[in-house]
Amino acid sequence: MLTIRILAKRTAPAVAAAARAQAKAPAVRLYSSRILPTSASVPACASRLAIGGNVYRALQTSATLHNIVPYKLADIGEGITECEIIQWFVKPGDKVSQFDKICEVASDKATVEITSRYDGIIKKLYYQDSDIALVGKPIVDIEIEGPSAPDALAEEPALPSQVSSTPAELPGSVSKNHAADRTGDVVYATPAVRRVARENAVDLRYVAGSGKGGRILKEDVLQFVEEQRSEPAAPAPEPSTAEQPFVQANASSAAPEISLSSASAVVTGEDRIVSLSPIQRAMFKSMTDSLGIPHFRFKDEIELDALMQARQRINEYLVELSDGAMSKMTYMPFFVKAASLALTKYPILNAKVAAEPGAPPKLLYRAAHNIGVAMDTPGGLIVPNIKDVQTKSLMDIAAELRSLAQRGKSGAIASTDLKGGTFTLSNVGMIGGTYLSPVLVDSEVCIGAIGKVQRLPRFETVEIDGRSVERVVPRHILVTSWSADHRVVDGATMARFAVLYKKLLEHPEIMLANMK
């Protein structure tokens, strides 16, 4: 605080006159005659001072307050304790207003943009791109103007995180012929795309994004790499004492094309250590915790021919609607709804083990069927869930699945979509695989995995001329794999649930009859 004291001399009669005038006038008037002697000692808090029969009055003023606020990374839910800094939208010296974007962070669940709560000037960034920021610790200092400091000023700023995964400097020889007008712009890309760029030593500022709003996709990075490789090699510079470039010119561009089957085409590299991404760190922790859960596994085959016919009729109906909202229904809404109907009969599989230290374990039976659906996104595996499936129709479930898939591709899954799951289905069969072994998380007691659909021969018994005859017929077979927490779920309960689930899918009319 800057303090200025102006001292004015007053004689005793002048003081009395000034007191009478001050009682009548709303403003304080200053009367000065000469400068205060330099030998006088002035107390810091004195408002009047008497020296040699003279009375001096002090005037104190204060400059405008400039408060430095350590802006902390808020808790974004689901027990997240750290986030990776994806990119900064500001730099020291920039002016920001409330709700202006400060940075983009990626947790193990989703990508979030952090906005400012203050109007002011950025003074300090605590982290660099790709650093790990801790929840509850400052990420940036903002200088604000105001009459008093906010509560944050009472706390000492935390030191920057020592855990860092900042990538190496990108090569200076990267061509700037591609989208050079993006230089210095904010780069919009998911963590997975940024990882691909780092692995290929690509500066994303020079990559043109083909996604929505200029967002850079993985395909854009790979295309940029291919274009770089196809460009003719730059002429070798004259020998000099200057520092050599980080990456040498690509000599393979001028060489003839070599078959991949040739031994000479094998490229050897060096071992390297890479930090885990936020999603990988969460997977590491949750799967490590899952090792303490004894799994009971159950697998069964389901014939989907009747369900395929029902789905075909539903899709024909959707085409007739022609409202553009939905033109096709996948199998996943049927799988999700059948699980909810089976959970209604066997609610223990929707429960949660509540084990407090020092207390006997208990089961929390949950009324809502919040069924999670594992999704393979550009940033990694995430499991958003559909809330209250027991109250939703097939059309409602299909609409939510479509919305989650679209947001998952763009990295816009909200934290609320990832909270509160009670049961999980993994449709990994769309990638491949028949017999699977899904792994539980400690917040659930049952998980299912759906394999790929296969057209296989099966025996069928028919009546011909009053005789039972067996014949081989083609059937569409789906294998479901279940895992349950064997501490609280016995094998018979898991088997009965799986049998009911099979009946609902093999006879869609039974599933439709039980819907509310």
Side-chain angles (χ1 to χ4, degrees):
M1 178 182 295
L2 176 63
T3 302
I4 301 175
R5 287 186 171 89
I6 302 175
L7 300 176
K9 172 190 171 184
R10 293 185 180 180
T11 59
V15 170
R20 290 192 298 271
Q22 195 172 27
K24 298 180 180 179
V28 177
R29 298 175 182 175
L30 300 179
Y31 300 88
S32 61
S33 58
R34 60 185 176 88
I35 301 176
L36 184 70
T38 56
S39 59
S41 177
V42 182
C45 58
S47 60
R48 283 190 175 90
L49 183 65
I51 299 177
N54 298 325
V55 178
Y56 299 87
R57 182 173 182 177
L59 173 65
Q60 178 174 306
T61 62
S62 298
T64 304
L65 292 177
H66 291 269
N67 303 317
I68 303 296
V69 178
Y71 191 59
K72 298 180 179 179
L73 178 61
D75 184 4
I76 58 179
E78 199 68 13
I80 294 171
T81 59
E82 60 184 19
C83 296
E84 180 182 359
I85 301 294
I86 299 301
Q87 63 178 329
W88 288 100
F89 299 114
V90 297
K91 60 183 181 298
D94 287 354
K95 291 185 178 181
V96 293
S97 302
Q98 295 184 44
F99 307 110
D100 283 354
K101 292 186 293 185
I102 293 179
C103 64
E104 182 181 20
V105 301
S107 69
D108 56 336
K109 303 293 185 181
T111 301
V112 181
E113 289 182 348
I114 305 299
T115 59
S116 174
R117 292 191 301 158
Y118 307 106
D119 299 332
I121 300 174
I122 301 295
K123 303 300 290 184
K124 177 182 178 182
L125 304 182
Y126 281 86
Y127 301 97
Q128 301 296 325
D129 289 351
S130 301
D131 281 358
I132 303 302
L134 302 179
V135 171
K137 298 298 183 180
I139 57 174
V140 63
D141 283 350
I142 304 178
E143 182 183 67
I144 64 173
E145 295 184 1
S148 61
D151 296 338
L153 291 176
E155 304 179 7
E156 295 183 1
L159 294 177
S161 172
Q162 299 299 319
V163 181
S164 175
S165 59
T166 305
E169 290 294 326
L170 294 173
S173 59
V174 174
S175 173
K176 296 178 175 54
N177 295 330
H178 301 270
D181 56 337
R182 292 181 58 85
T183 303
D185 290 352
V186 174
V187 175
Y188 294 95
T190 63
V193 174
R194 292 175 182 275
R195 183 172 64 251
V196 172
R198 288 196 294 266
E199 292 172 352
N200 291 275
V202 172
D203 190 340
L204 289 176
R205 292 176 300 171
Y206 306 115
V207 179
S210 62
K212 183 178 180 180
R215 184 175 292 271
I216 299 174
L217 307 179
K218 177 181 177 181
E219 292 76 11
D220 300 329
V221 177
L222 297 179
Q223 180 181 356
F224 181 86
V225 173
E226 290 299 324
E227 292 176 355
Q228 289 290 302
R229 291 175 178 173
S230 63
E231 290 180 358
E238 295 294 330
S240 65
T241 58
E243 183 180 357
Q244 296 299 317
F246 181 78
V247 177
Q248 295 180 357
N250 187 2
S252 62
S253 60
E257 185 175 351
I258 302 176
S259 172
L260 292 178
S261 60
S262 173
S264 61
V266 177
V267 179
T268 59
E270 296 181 356
D271 296 343
R272 57 196 178 109
I273 297 177
V274 180
S275 300
L276 297 180
S277 68
I279 292 181
Q280 288 173 325
R281 289 196 298 270
M283 188 184 304
F284 183 91
K285 181 180 182 301
S286 62
M287 292 299 100
T288 302
D289 295 340
S290 297
L291 293 175
I293 302 175
H295 286 52
F296 175 82
R297 306 189 189 278
F298 186 91
K299 296 176 175 61
D300 201 2
E301 290 185 352
I302 301 176
E303 292 186 5
L304 289 184
D305 295 87
L307 180 63
M308 294 173 72
Q309 295 176 6
R311 172 178 170 266
Q312 182 180 358
R313 289 191 290 268
I314 292 175
N315 285 337
E316 291 172 355
Y317 165 73
L318 293 176
V319 172
E320 292 176 359
L321 286 180
S322 65
D323 57 358
M326 184 185 305
S327 60
K328 183 180 179 181
M329 181 178 292
T330 65
Y331 291 106
M332 202 61 191
F334 296 94
F335 299 156
V336 172
K337 189 61 180 182
S340 176
L341 294 174
L343 288 174
T344 302
K345 187 170 180 61
Y346 300 99
I348 189 174
L349 298 179
N350 196 55
K352 175 185 179 181
V353 177
E356 298 293 337
K362 299 179 181 179
L363 272 178
L364 172 63
Y365 280 80
R366 296 177 282 196
H369 296 172
N370 300 339
I371 298 182
V373 180
M375 290 186 175
D376 182 26
T377 69
L381 178 69
I382 60 174
V383 188
N385 60 81
I386 304 173
K387 302 291 193 292
D388 298 315
V389 175
Q390 75 278 6
T391 65
K392 290 181 167 59
S393 66
L394 289 172
M395 299 286 287
D396 296 334
I397 298 171
E400 290 208 26
L401 284 171
R402 183 181 180 184
S403 174
L404 288 173
Q406 292 174 345
R407 284 180 282 154
K409 290 180 180 179
S410 60
I413 292 289
S415 59
T416 54
D417 296 325
L418 302 164
K419 296 179 181 179
T422 62
F423 187 91
T424 298
L425 282 178
S426 173
N427 189 18
V428 72
M430 65 183 298
I431 300 175
T434 305
Y435 299 95
L436 310 165
S437 297
V439 181
L440 286 165
V441 293
D442 57 5
S443 60
E444 299 175 5
V445 299
C446 187
I447 183 175
I450 299 167
K452 64 180 180 180
V453 180
Q454 303 177 90
R455 192 168 185 262
L456 301 173
R458 290 295 183 265
F459 285 103
E460 180 184 63
T461 302
V462 295
E463 294 288 335
I464 300 179
D465 298 332
R467 295 181 303 117
S468 296
V469 179
E470 283 189 339
R471 63 181 183 182
V472 177
V473 295
R475 289 285 184 262
H476 291 86
I477 304 300
L478 171 74
V479 176
T480 54
S481 304
W482 305 96
S483 296
D485 188 340
H486 212 2
R487 297 176 299 177
V488 293
V489 179
D490 56 76
T493 301
M494 184 73 259
R496 292 189 181 99
F497 171 90
V499 169
L500 176 57
Y501 186 80
K502 174 178 179 177
K503 180 182 290 186
L504 293 171
L505 292 179
E506 289 186 340
H507 304 280
E509 64 276 8
I510 298 178
M511 180 167 55
L512 296 174
N514 284 275
M515 289 185 185
K516 296 181 181 179

